[in-house]
Amino acid sequence: MGQTLGCVMVTQSTVAIRESFGKFDGVLDPGCHLMPWCIGKSIAGYLTLRLQQLDVRCETKTKDNVFVTVVASIQYRALAEKASDAFYKLTNTKQQIQSYVFDVIRACIPKLLLDDAFEQKNEIAKAVEEELEKAMSMYGYEIVQTLIVDIEPDAHVKRAMNEINAAARQRLAANEKAEAEKIIQIKRAEGDAESKYLAGLGIARQRQAIVDGLRDSVLAFSEGVPGTSARDVMDMVLVTQYFDTMKEIGAHSKSSSVFIPHGPGAVKDVAAQIRDGLLQAQHGGTSSTAPSLL
């Protein structure tokens, strides 16, 4: 209806390409324009100036022969001052951009190892943007931003990489666990050694205290009872303890029968053995060959 009346309305962020008898005649900015069709004026088409985005998926391989799919996001727009070039010089803008992206990515990725490709995404994006900017500027387009949004290895490669990573982490966990168990065992051994050392000191001090107590008792008894020697008192103490021990064995032993040599000679032998053990304890010995009845 507008063209019938000779008027054309161009919307915001859009320009119209005007022709006169099929020849480019100018670019119409947003707004209302007089279009006298009777003298050969017509609208050849419209060109948007809005920012557009094109996602490109490119399959290639890395230097270590791993096939990957690179996903690039290209943001571009037509330039108002070069609207005629953008409208007339390119038949399919998106296909042209995609071809340049393929060319640059397939030239960059094969020079990199897989791990390096992930680390150098920004450098790849910069190379793509520079190439596109240089190529598309002559066609009236501006490349605003180029992003490498993803690098997807083959599914089998991803699975293998995950297995390698999991195995490495399991190996590290096993090493840490073994180291922890080693520390526990060392600390347990140190604690056991310290416990035995302290137990030995306790036994030595116990024997020393017993010897000191017996010595004081023997001396006191000898002084209180004239005519008795320290040896007589010691023999009497040992015999008394011998009978106390016999009593304890009979009261607490779980066995129904206990065979112990008994008699004056046996008592004398036991007294001699106990006396020898006490003398060894008094001199700091830790021998346990003599049976202790104390």
Side-chain angles (χ1 to χ4, degrees), residues 27-292:
V27 177
L28 301 181
D29 294 327
C32 186
H33 300 273
L34 183 63
M35 187 64 58
W37 58 269
C38 56
I39 59 175
K41 303 291 184 179
S42 64
I43 298 298
Y46 297 90
L47 182 68
T48 179
L49 301 180
R50 294 178 180 178
L51 184 67
Q52 302 181 68
Q53 178 168 311
L54 174 64
D55 293 330
V56 180
R57 299 179 64 88
C58 175
E59 185 177 12
T60 183
K61 74 171 184 175
T62 62
K63 188 176 181 179
D64 46 352
N65 295 323
V66 178
F67 281 89
V68 296
T69 299
V70 180
V71 182
S73 180
I74 313 299
Q75 298 176 354
Y76 66 98
R77 64 186 172 192
L79 297 174
E81 61 272 17
K82 295 184 178 181
S84 60
D85 293 337
F87 185 82
Y88 287 106
K89 288 187 177 181
L90 285 180
T91 303
N92 191 328
T93 305
K94 292 185 177 180
Q95 186 175 357
Q96 185 73 15
I97 292 176
Q98 180 175 292
S99 298
Y100 281 112
V101 172
F102 281 0
D103 181 66
V104 176
I105 289 179
R106 287 174 176 168
C108 293
I109 296 296
K111 299 178 183 179
L112 303 173
L113 299 175
L114 180 60
D115 293 339
D116 296 336
F118 280 99
E119 295 175 0
Q120 300 183 24
K121 288 172 56 178
N122 292 336
E123 287 76 3
I124 299 172
K126 185 176 180 181
V128 174
E129 183 175 347
E130 290 177 352
E131 184 67 22
L132 285 175
E133 184 68 30
K134 181 171 60 177
M136 298 302 294
S137 60
M138 67 179 66
Y139 298 116
Y141 282 92
E142 175 190 14
I143 304 301
V144 178
Q145 185 73 32
T146 300
L147 303 173
I148 302 298
V149 296
D150 198 7
I151 298 178
E152 301 175 354
D154 183 79
H156 298 289
V157 177
K158 291 173 66 176
R159 189 181 306 111
M161 293 174 63
N162 290 333
E163 290 176 356
I164 292 173
N165 191 12
R169 292 182 180 276
Q170 289 177 357
R171 182 170 61 252
L172 180 61
N175 290 337
E176 294 295 334
K177 183 177 180 181
E179 189 67 23
E181 292 179 352
K182 174 183 175 182
I183 294 175
I184 292 174
Q185 291 179 0
I186 291 175
K187 292 300 181 181
R188 185 182 294 117
E190 291 177 353
D192 186 55
E194 184 69 17
S195 175
K196 290 181 178 179
Y197 172 75
L198 294 176
L201 289 179
I203 293 174
R205 291 175 180 175
Q206 180 186 24
R207 291 182 176 179
Q208 185 63 43
I210 293 173
V211 170
D212 293 341
L214 288 175
R215 184 181 63 248
D216 294 340
S217 298
V218 169
L219 292 177
F221 192 85
S222 299
E223 293 175 358
V225 181
T228 59
S229 63
R231 186 180 183 88
D232 296 335
V233 177
M234 190 66 182
D235 290 341
M236 183 185 69
V237 171
L238 293 177
V239 170
T240 302
Q241 291 189 349
Y242 173 78
F243 283 111
D244 290 340
T245 302
M246 293 288 293
K247 180 179 178 182
E248 291 294 328
I249 292 174
H252 300 288
S253 176
K254 295 181 180 180
S255 302
S256 58
S257 300
V258 178
F259 294 94
I260 297 177
H262 184 63
V267 174
K268 182 178 180 181
D269 293 340
V270 171
Q273 293 177 11
I274 295 174
R275 188 182 303 109
D276 293 339
L278 291 175
L279 291 176
Q280 290 179 6
Q282 186 174 7
H283 289 288
T286 57
S287 174
S288 59
T289 56
S292 177

